[in-house]
Amino acid sequence: MLDTPPRPYAIDTATARAQADPRNSAFFQNPYAFYDALHASNPAFYWDEYGHWCFAGFKDVSALLRDKRFGRQILHVATREELGLPEPKAHTAHFDLTEKYSLLTLEPPAHTRLRTLVNRAFVSRHVEQLRPRIVRLANEMIDGFEGENSVDLIKSFAAPIPAIVIAEMLGLPAEMAPQLLNWSNRMVAMYMFGVSEETEHDANRASYDFMEYLRGVIAERRKAPREDLLTHMITAEHQGSVLSDDEVMSTAILLLNAGHEATVHTTGNGVKSILQSGLDPASLLATEEQTAATVEECLRFDAPLHMFTRYALGDIEYEGLQFKKGDVIGLMLGAANRDPSRFANANAFDPFRTDGANVSFGAGIHFCIGAPLARIELQVAFGELFKRLPKLRLAEEPRYNNVYHFHGLERLMVSW
Ligand code: HEM
């Protein structure tokens, strides 16, 4: 008889407490077994390893993302002392500076001002103009490996396209893309559960180098403005104020990092979902509408970002749970997308489903500013890939990276 491996999670249904180690490979390779169990018993639960309440149900995640009583920042309404938070670490000062003015760590009114200044560049009608460039890039990538027998699709296709697109939007040369990816990957390692000091030092060095590089480019643009997003950010005014260099750097780094990580992962996860579904890719990508629907289903079925947190901005009651000012809650996007009370047959990959939007791009004031761009990148990536390589197949079982929040593949070996 075969031994069944132990479950990588435990749930005490009576107290709504759960244990699941985010660094356990059995867990992060397939967090959906845990989510299924939560949906069946405790969609709101206390996650011991994180030490805070989490929400897996679609209704709660969607409502809490929009709930103004919770925010991504807390230090605008309380001091570190008051909350018992440790002082910032000296050896992560450069990394912290990149986050200081990040849209993702600001709340209104600072958030509104910054978001208004960059939003225009990301609206659908503007990014739609990039589609032909993205088609060319996708084809160049395929030209680059088509002669081989097999390839790691993450490295040779999924990663370079969004990195080059966002770099060019900002006005940085495409040749910088590998270096930007390197800095970004080292910074994103900070979001791992239980970060080591070595990782912190490395992320700090990457942040320093990234900022020094951007400082140089910003100085060049001040002397010789161009038609690019960096120049726009330096010169744009909102109610009489312009952005400081630190604000421009923070925003550029956020756009470069957020602008590719999740798209790379969704490309990999999506190709895997399509290939493992046994469905005919040609029928999933037959028309523009169906391609868009397939992209949405890829985002829902295997979301690239599984948890975002919020702080309670005051003493709050939510659905019978009491939160004190400064308490953290976890909103589980990847789990909400598999909620059987929201999606019929939630664990089935079905690009023909019609039961509505997922929460992979978030909701509320921090809703992903890059969603229209990411959708175009994904539509083009899947469309061109399966058109050029209709016999695409998996060459080995794909495995996910050891970063639970960023649910993406280590590599994706395929043949054709
Ligand atoms: C499939 C690809 C993507 C996914 C799934 C995704 C997902 C998300 C999510 C869930 C949030 C909100 C986080 C929260 O509420 O705490 C967010 C915010 C953000 N995303 Fe994306 N993203 C993607 C691609 C992009 C791209 C291509 C860009 C830029 C070019 C981008 C830029 C941003 C920015 C700047 C924010 C912060 C917005 C704010 O705080 O106001 N993202 N994204």
Side-chain angles (χ1 to χ4, degrees), residues 72 103 111 115 122 258 262 266 305 308 310 360-361 366 368:
R72 283 207 46 124
L103 274 177
H111 175 265
R115 181 144 176 151
F122 290 96
T266 312
L305 305 168
F308 280 99
R310 293 289 186 269
S360 287
F361 287 118
H366 293 284
C368 179

Side-chain angles (χ1 to χ4, degrees), residues 11-265:
I11 304 172
D12 180 354
T13 52
T15 58
R17 284 183 88 111
Q19 292 93 42
D21 179 356
R23 286 166 301 191
N24 176 354
S25 171
F27 173 72
F28 65 76
Q29 292 303 332
N30 177 22
Y32 297 108
F34 180 45
Y35 301 165
D36 283 348
L38 293 168
H39 288 310
S41 64
N42 302 80
F45 66 102
Y46 189 89
W47 192 332
D48 275 353
E49 279 80 354
Y50 283 98
H52 57 68
W53 281 85
C54 289
F55 296 84
F58 189 92
K59 229 172 106 229
D60 286 331
V61 169
S62 179
L64 287 164
L65 283 167
R66 295 176 167 87
D67 193 327
K68 298 216 164 64
R69 298 173 304 162
F70 292 89
R72 283 207 46 124
Q73 180 58 274
I74 184 69
L75 295 173
H76 60 311
V77 292
T79 61
R80 285 181 183 277
E81 240 177 1
E82 226 178 288
L83 300 167
L85 292 177
E87 285 303 307
K89 297 172 185 168
H91 67 268
T92 60
H94 297 301
F95 176 82
D96 294 342
L97 183 60
T98 67
E99 291 223 312
K100 188 167 171 195
Y101 301 104
S102 152
L103 274 177
L104 270 177
T105 55
L106 294 176
E107 287 295 304
H111 175 265
T112 323
R113 167 175 169 265
L114 204 53
R115 181 144 176 151
T116 312
L117 281 170
V118 286
N119 193 45
R120 209 180 47 148
F122 290 96
V123 295
S124 300
R125 64 172 192 290
H126 197 187
V127 289
E128 192 53 49
Q129 295 165 12
L130 297 175
R131 194 182 284 267
R133 169 68 178 141
I134 303 172
V135 170
R136 274 204 315 278
L137 271 176
N139 279 287
E140 277 167 33
M141 298 303 149
I142 300 170
D143 291 344
F145 64 73
E146 200 182 7
E148 318 277 319
N149 289 327
S150 68
V151 77
D152 173 7
L153 216 52
I154 299 290
K155 212 157 118 203
S156 305
F157 183 73
I161 300 172
I164 293 175
V165 171
I166 187 66
E168 288 185 346
M169 260 185 102
L170 277 154
L172 309 175
E175 300 79 69
M176 272 305 285
Q179 178 61 68
L180 300 171
L181 279 168
N182 171 284
W183 285 328
S184 168
N185 291 338
R186 288 161 59 199
M187 291 174 70
V188 165
M190 286 290 272
Y191 302 112
M192 265 168 92
F193 181 82
V195 181
S196 71
E197 200 173 311
E198 196 188 332
T199 301
E200 290 178 339
H201 279 289
D202 190 51
N204 203 46
R205 265 193 306 275
S207 308
Y208 178 80
D209 293 343
F210 208 156
M211 285 193 291
E212 281 301 291
Y213 167 69
L214 285 174
R215 217 185 288 282
V217 184
I218 291 171
E220 279 171 28
R221 292 296 183 281
R222 284 201 190 284
K223 274 193 236 136
R226 287 195 198 165
E227 285 290 312
D228 60 30
L229 190 50
L230 264 184
T231 308
H232 168 73
M233 288 199 286
I234 297 166
T235 51
E237 270 189 40
H238 177 63
Q239 295 172 349
S241 76
V242 289
L243 298 180
S244 66
D245 276 9
D246 282 349
E247 285 176 315
V248 173
M249 272 190 303
S250 250
T251 309
I253 289 178
L254 172 67
L255 288 171
L256 286 162
N257 291 357
H260 76 270
E261 281 286 336
T263 317
V264 175
H265 294 331

